[in-house]
Amino acid sequence: DTAVSQTPKYLVTQMGNDKSIKCEQNLGHDTMYWYKQDSKKFLKIMFSYNNKELIINETVPNRFSPKSPDKAHLNLHINSLELGDSAVYFCASSQDLLGVPGYTFGSGTRLTVV
Amino acid sequence: ILNVEQSPQSLHVQEGDSTNFTCSFPSSNFYALHWYRWETAKSPEALFVMTLNGDEKKKGRISATLNTKEGYSYLYIKGSQPEDSATYLCAFLTTGGKLIFGQGTELSVKP
């Protein structure tokens, strides 16, 4: 069983479309995150949720909306996709907000907007 | 702005060489320092999480140290092997729960 699973792995879509990326963790962790890997390969925090409650909301366009129906799931919905949204998006989870003993990452979703 | 700087950006060594990388981070708002190993086409895997000044952690041939007063951490690999080839990421966890990553050190170990 994959600990943190993201779907889809690849997503190619046209500008202006709305799309969702799903993330599920089976580790019993309380905290989940979305990270974006930018063009320089930096991992940048977008959102974090703890027990379904939004904790961190970085300077992200409001076209991006996370949704956490329960603490095992954190989905990312993106409206009106733009070319600049093309990137790899990583979901992660940790036991709690303290992040010990480290984050567990999903395998990433490569989003390409054409 | 909270920045995490890693050096060098890339490193090429021969099998058997020992090597080390540096991570610099802010000394304020510090909660923990993470190290991750990221192999190509895989996801980052946690190596160490350190919270206390002077912490030292070891896993096999890999070890790490932490100096929170001066804001740096070192990662050491003893006797590098080709399977150690990966990008090593350092990340600074703030007291607000934000994990900020450095750009990574890309290690290539030649047989």
Side-chain angles (χ1 to χ4, degrees), chain B residues 7-48:
Chain B
S7 63
Q9 283 195 12
S10 64
L11 196 52
H12 299 267
V13 301
Q14 290 293 131
E15 183 175 354
D17 288 350
S18 291
T19 187
N20 65 83
F21 328 131
T22 304
C23 172
S24 299
F25 55 88
S27 49
S28 60
N29 300 314
F30 174 87
Y31 184 79
L33 196 284
H34 291 214
W35 281 99
Y36 290 82
R37 182 169 179 272
W38 194 359
E39 290 180 77
T40 304
K42 293 188 178 180
S43 42
E45 289 183 16
L47 285 173
F48 305 113

Side-chain angles (χ1 to χ4, degrees), chain B:
Chain B
I1 295 177
L2 299 172
N3 278 334
V4 177
E5 301 284 340
Q6 290 188 246
S7 63
Q9 283 195 12
S10 64
L11 196 52
H12 299 267
V13 301
Q14 290 293 131
E15 183 175 354
D17 288 350
S18 291
T19 187
N20 65 83
F21 328 131
T22 304
C23 172
S24 299
F25 55 88
S27 49
S28 60
N29 300 314
F30 174 87
Y31 184 79
L33 196 284
H34 291 214
W35 281 99
Y36 290 82
R37 182 169 179 272
W38 194 359
E39 290 180 77
T40 304
K42 293 188 178 180
S43 42
E45 289 183 16
L47 285 173
F48 305 113
V49 176
M50 296 179 286
T51 56
L52 298 175
N53 185 43
D55 259 354
E56 291 188 25
K57 300 267 184 173
K58 188 175 180 182
K59 189 182 286 189
R61 294 179 291 100
I62 305 178
S63 60
T65 61
L66 178 66
N67 183 323
T68 59
K69 292 182 180 178
E70 295 180 43
Y72 65 83
S73 175
Y74 294 132
L75 187 79
Y76 301 91
I77 302 179
K78 187 177 176 183
S80 302
Q81 299 296 309
E83 57 266 30
D84 295 330
S85 296
T87 297
Y88 291 83
L89 296 174
C90 149
F92 163 76
L93 181 67
T94 70
T95 48
K98 193 183 297 185
L99 190 67
I100 301 168
F101 281 86
Q103 79 277 27
T105 292
E106 192 174 343
L107 174 67
S108 173
V109 182
K110 292 188 178 179

